[in-house]
Amino acid sequence: SLVGSEMCIRDSHYGNGQCVFISIAAGVKISSFEAILGPKTPIIRAMPNTPAEIGFGVTAKIANNNVSKNAIERAEKLLSAIGEVVSLNSEGQMDAVTGLSGSGPAYVFYLIDALAAAGHKQGLEKELAMKLAKMTVLGGAKLAAEPSAVPEVLRVNVTSPNGTTEAGLKILMNSENGLGPLIEKTVAAATERSEELANG
């Protein structure tokens, strides 16, 4: 919990008091905590992701109406120690956050493995293919993370007409079974599972 005062520390009954609780439990709604701690309890629900381990995470948060503006600011400062913090418009968005950024690092790790395996199949040594795949994803992510960067523009800039990149993108950008539809199904499946967990 985010301690708001010495009274919070001394009080043995934390619920319905001044203690602000921050939850990072996947699939557990604010209402579930209110049922346990009391309806007047200040609660912030947050969803970080694993790059938080190295300070490059992104955490989405939503608070109930009992959380003061000052407590929200303190929570944002606390959570920003592990990366970026974004605010949601409604708790219902948390399932989509879980499907996108919560589970997303695993998708990226799998992409790295797939790129490396594809490079190995084309004749590269496994270690070299893995290094190329890791650095390609890292470099691409850093370029895309620039404040003025637009991923679509970056993609177009590296795609010469009738060149090698265009040949590869024809496979990835297939409207029926390319990467776009596959990622859409992937995020949807994770989002639906998050909804199932939230609904018991």
Side-chain angles (χ1 to χ4, degrees), residues 67-119:
V67 183
S68 68
K69 183 179 178 182
N70 180 56
I72 289 174
E73 289 174 356
R74 291 177 67 197
E76 286 179 353
K77 186 174 182 181
L78 175 69
L79 294 169
S80 68
I82 57 173
E84 296 287 324
V85 180
V86 298
S87 299
L88 303 181
N89 296 323
S90 69
E91 190 177 9
Q93 293 180 307
M94 194 61 79
D95 295 315
V97 166
T98 302
L100 174 58
S101 62
S103 299
Y107 314 152
V108 175
F109 303 148
Y110 186 72
L111 173 63
I112 292 170
D113 275 338
L115 281 170

Side-chain angles (χ1 to χ4, degrees), residues 1-5 8-11 13-15 17-24 33 37 41-44 71 74-75 78:
S1 66
L2 182 65
V3 178
S5 67
C8 182
I9 298 172
R10 293 194 306 265
D11 188 357
H13 304 289
Y14 293 125
Q18 296 183 40
C19 286
V20 178
F21 289 81
I22 300 178
S23 167
I24 60 168
F33 289 104
L37 299 168
T41 305
I43 299 167
I44 297 172
R74 291 177 67 197
L78 175 69

Side-chain angles (χ1 to χ4, degrees), residues 171-195:
I171 304 299
L172 282 179
M173 297 179 72
N174 185 291
S175 61
E176 292 182 9
N177 56 8
L179 185 61
L182 184 60
I183 291 293
E184 184 177 336
K185 290 176 186 175
T186 300
V187 173
T191 300
E192 288 168 13
R193 181 58 182 148
S194 178
E195 290 169 351

Side-chain angles (χ1 to χ4, degrees), residues 3-171:
V3 178
S5 67
E6 290 184 10
M7 178 186 292
C8 182
I9 298 172
R10 293 194 306 265
D11 188 357
S12 61
H13 304 289
Y14 293 125
N16 286 327
Q18 296 183 40
C19 286
V20 178
F21 289 81
I22 300 178
S23 167
I24 60 168
V28 183
K29 294 181 179 180
I30 289 174
S31 60
S32 297
F33 289 104
E34 290 174 338
I36 296 168
L37 299 168
K40 295 180 182 178
T41 305
I43 299 167
I44 297 172
R45 184 177 172 195
M47 174 54 64
N49 61 4
T50 56
E53 293 178 22
I54 57 169
F56 279 91
V58 61
T59 302
K61 66 162 182 57
I62 187 79
N64 67 4
N65 293 329
N66 301 321
V67 183
S68 68
K69 183 179 178 182
N70 180 56
I72 289 174
E73 289 174 356
R74 291 177 67 197
E76 286 179 353
K77 186 174 182 181
L78 175 69
L79 294 169
S80 68
I82 57 173
E84 296 287 324
V85 180
V86 298
S87 299
L88 303 181
N89 296 323
S90 69
E91 190 177 9
Q93 293 180 307
M94 194 61 79
D95 295 315
V97 166
T98 302
L100 174 58
S101 62
S103 299
Y107 314 152
V108 175
F109 303 148
Y110 186 72
L111 173 63
I112 292 170
D113 275 338
L115 281 170
H120 176 62
K121 193 167 185 178
Q122 295 304 314
L124 298 172
E125 293 86 357
K126 283 187 177 181
E127 287 185 8
L128 175 59
M130 181 57 75
K131 183 171 186 175
L132 289 168
K134 285 180 178 180
M135 295 309 295
T136 297
V137 171
L138 176 61
K142 284 191 172 186
L143 272 175
E146 290 294 313
S148 62
V150 179
E152 181 182 7
V153 173
L154 292 173
R155 173 180 55 78
V156 170
N157 288 346
V158 77
T159 308
S160 303
N162 297 315
T164 58
T165 306
E166 184 177 86
L169 284 174
K170 283 182 179 178
I171 304 299

